Amino acid sequence: MSIWWSLHLRREAASVPLARRLLLRTMETAGVDPDISFELSVALSEACANAVEHGGPAQPAGHGGEPLPESHSGYRVTAYLDGDRCRIEVTDSGPGFPEPESERGSAPRDARDARDARDAVEPSERENGRGMWLIEELADHVRFRNRPGRGAVVSFDKILKWREGALLKAS
């Protein structure tokens, strides 16, 4: 069994529950265990909330070079249920994850992991790293990376468990 969907959402708080509900309904329909569905939906909510808060373009431009309102910049959520695994990707167009202190001034690169990104933030600002920590705790595999000049990508996987009698159970 394989199901996938992709959404392009505005950077507005109302988009977060929309993505979460779509994921929960898809997983319910497929027959995924409710506990696994809940964990993935919380991780998705955190990734979306980060995209809403931090994922805007540094200099969005519309026709004639005029800046676009922040609500016009968006982010993309893609979910794949393939066999016994679910993979979710949230892609934004913001400045990306901060570089670790040791790599500032070097060529752009992918963030090694969430810890590097959190460690690069001043201690007084670290309250903003909890969403990344939650994603790491709820998923089996997590990758945080930068797309130089184009934003950040958070992707995470989780092995699925199925309800008894699930119609779309992995074969």
Side-chain angles (χ1 to χ4, degrees):
M1 187 250 335
S2 184
I3 299 171
W4 72 272
W5 50 260
S6 187
L7 300 171
H8 185 255
L9 300 165
R10 285 187 173 192
R11 282 186 51 233
E12 298 174 347
S15 68
V16 177
L18 173 67
R20 181 179 176 144
R21 279 189 229 125
L22 181 58
L23 178 68
L24 283 169
R25 294 298 186 304
T26 301
M27 296 182 102
E28 179 184 11
T29 301
V32 174
D33 177 83
D35 291 337
I36 298 294
S37 298
F38 177 76
E39 290 174 358
L40 280 168
S41 73
V42 171
L44 174 62
S45 294
E46 292 298 330
C48 290
N50 282 342
V52 167
E53 184 174 350
H54 306 289
Q59 297 175 334
H63 296 290
E66 289 296 315
L68 289 173
E70 274 197 36
S71 64
H72 283 71
S73 62
Y75 65 102
R76 182 171 303 280
V77 175
T78 305
Y80 307 89
L81 278 75
D82 190 20
D84 66 347
R85 181 173 300 273
C86 179
R87 165 165 257 177
I88 297 172
E89 292 182 1
V90 177
T91 306
D92 68 39
S93 57
F97 296 102
E99 292 179 34
E101 191 78 32
S102 63
E103 294 190 21
R104 291 209 175 125
S106 62
R109 54 111 185 119
D110 288 348
R112 282 197 184 107
D113 62 24
R115 285 177 197 85
D116 283 351
R118 279 198 306 271
D119 291 346
V121 177
E122 293 298 319
S124 62
E125 297 174 2
R126 284 203 182 142
E127 73 180 49
N128 290 332
R130 286 182 274 185
M132 291 170 26
W133 177 83
L134 269 172
I135 294 167
E136 286 182 302
E137 292 299 309
L138 295 169
D140 295 329
H141 178 262
V142 181
R143 183 169 183 216
F144 298 86
R145 65 183 176 90
N146 287 328
R147 300 176 313 148
R150 299 182 337 183
V153 179
V154 176
S155 59
F156 50 95
D157 303 353
K158 190 159 185 83
I159 300 289
L160 300 175
K161 295 179 186 171
W162 301 91
R163 291 190 322 253
E164 189 67 36
L167 295 176
L168 298 178
K169 189 174 189 175
S171 29

